[in-house]
Amino acid sequence: MSELKFIDTEAGPIRDGILEDLENGVGDPLYPGDERRIFGEALAQVVVAVYNSVNDACRQKMLRYARGDVLDALGENRDTARLDPTFATTTLRFGVNEAVSHNIIIPARLRVTGDFIHYFLTDQTVVLYAGQLFVEVGATAEKGGADYNDAAIGELSQIVDLSDVALIDYVTNTEPTGGGGDQETDEAYRERIREAENRLSTAGPEKAYRYWALSSSPIVTDAVVESETERISRTLKTYAGHAFQGGANLIPESLAVYLPGGSEAVDGTDYTASYDDELLTLTLSGSLAAADEVKIEITRNMYGRVKIVPICAGGELPDEDVLEAVRRVCSADDVRPLTDIVQVEAPQVELYDIELTYYTTKANESEVVKNVEGPDGAINRYIYWQGSALDQEINPDELRKLILCPHWIENPIGATRVIITKPEYKELPSTTVAKFSGNINVQHVVKD
């Protein structure tokens, strides 16, 4: 898509135009070093800056260039507000080393932290009753955002408002913190505004359900919507070398026919199939020519039953809270067509290993090793890319590209050659996400 300009901001023509007007005004040529020329060149820089500011302001009227508050205003025009950040949660345990003879009140909104930067507040007032050693209560992050996620068990161990619970000996979180999401980014928000018109349909199209799924939470970054299917198995009686299965929405490409011994029959040798007017017809031959019955399996579409599979930022699998949020939004009476049944599921996971050898020269060894195996290197970038989206095959060529050409840095130095044994290319169902198994074997070879 070409860059849109409302005003020409090329510095050269603007500068030349100003100098030409000055020369015409004073009636003399302006040579380098002439103070009038120096003034004109300085003025040109100011004009270019102003033109760029005006051009940027004009371009922000367009959705593809808008950002910040301007993008929020465009979203309001389509009744699509930016998603607010969500708050991470956990469970806190307050306890004493020895039981005491009186109750201890743990007030609501008591602050607990592990680093005195990220604070969690108790959700409600609870009581540690006399004779008991601990009590647990839910807690929510003080602010929204993903920064409050992934505090390990036991990390939240400091009571900030200690005077409110002076007799408590310790506090700890009994589960990792999670569920926090940043405010919707400009790019994600822009894409959702583009899709806003899809929500107006009442026919239940894929794009409408996807729009509402992405609107359910800022941590939901992708979703696959598809009609449910059902795999059916039937044993059919044969009539004069033919067998029949009626039914709408059968998928002929999914047909499997079996021989009496249980092995799969060969299309074109043991049978031929046709599907017309909602009737599947098998013409039997070869090993099935004399069969009294034949077993088949076939998949059919379950129109009216919608399956939505969301995935979260960074490829995180959605927990039950996220799934429930998507289910609630997509099943609302003003979203879901009356005849649809909506099911929301977490993605299936396909694990893959990494095993490779890459080559470099001695002069570039340290730089190449950093670019391939470092924290921001090709392997970690590939793992993130591969696991962050649905409807995406396992593609080792993407890993190969990142290793040979680390394009995210200036003057990239990549490996001279790479042999990738694992992963192997594999197509995945649209609702399956590929995740790194943790098994990795990477070697590098230095060649002069």
Side-chain angles (χ1 to χ4, degrees), residues 49 53 58-59 71 97 102 107 113 137 151 156 187 189 281 283 303 305 349 351 355 369 377 399 415 443:
S53 296
C58 292
R59 294 204 311 174
L71 186 60
N97 295 329
H102 57 276
T113 185
V137 62
L156 303 180
E187 287 305 314
Y189 185 31
T281 301
T283 301
Y303 295 121
R305 292 177 57 178
V349 174
L351 297 178
E355 183 177 334
V369 169
L399 177 58
Q443 299 179 11

Side-chain angles (χ1 to χ4, degrees), residues 216-329:
S216 65
S217 170
I219 64 175
V220 176
T221 56
D222 193 14
V224 167
V225 180
E226 60 181 26
S227 175
E228 279 273 39
T229 60
E230 181 184 36
R231 189 72 173 169
I232 60 174
S233 178
R234 298 287 188 270
T235 299
L236 309 178
K237 293 290 186 181
T238 63
Y239 304 91
H242 293 79
F244 306 93
Q245 173 64 44
N249 308 321
L250 298 179
I251 304 175
E253 297 79 13
S254 67
L255 175 65
V257 180
Y258 296 95
L259 300 174
S263 59
E264 190 169 346
V266 179
D267 185 9
T269 300
D270 299 315
Y271 71 95
T272 57
S274 61
Y275 183 56
D276 299 300
D277 297 327
E278 300 183 356
L279 179 65
L280 176 68
T281 301
L282 299 181
T283 301
L284 307 179
S285 57
S287 300
L288 291 175
D292 296 327
E293 60 183 22
V294 59
K295 180 182 177 181
I296 69 166
E297 289 183 352
I298 193 168
T299 301
R300 64 180 177 186
N301 285 310
M302 304 292 288
Y303 295 121
R305 292 177 57 178
V306 179
K307 181 167 73 174
I308 302 174
V309 180
I311 195 169
C312 299
E316 290 294 323
L317 299 180
D319 58 21
E320 190 54 43
D321 291 339
V322 172
L323 296 177
E324 180 56 33
V326 174
R327 187 181 298 112
R328 182 176 62 254
V329 169

Side-chain angles (χ1 to χ4, degrees), residues 83-89 141 143-149 178-185 217-220 312-313 322:
L83 297 178
D84 292 327
T86 56
F87 293 77
T89 60
K143 298 178 181 178
D147 285 348
Y148 288 81
N149 291 339
D182 295 326
Q183 186 180 52
E184 191 172 23
T185 63
S217 170
I219 64 175
V220 176
C312 299
V322 172

Side-chain angles (χ1 to χ4, degrees), residues 119-137:
Y119 298 92
F120 282 76
L121 285 66
T122 53
D123 294 334
Q124 62 187 31
T125 299
V126 293
V127 179
L128 175 56
Y129 291 103
Q132 294 185 348
L133 293 177
F134 65 86
V135 64
E136 294 183 351
V137 62

Side-chain angles (χ1 to χ4, degrees), residues 367 371 404-414:
E367 185 70 16
N371 291 341
L404 297 177
C405 184
H407 55 79
W408 60 92
I409 56 176
E410 292 185 11
N411 302 318
I413 301 177

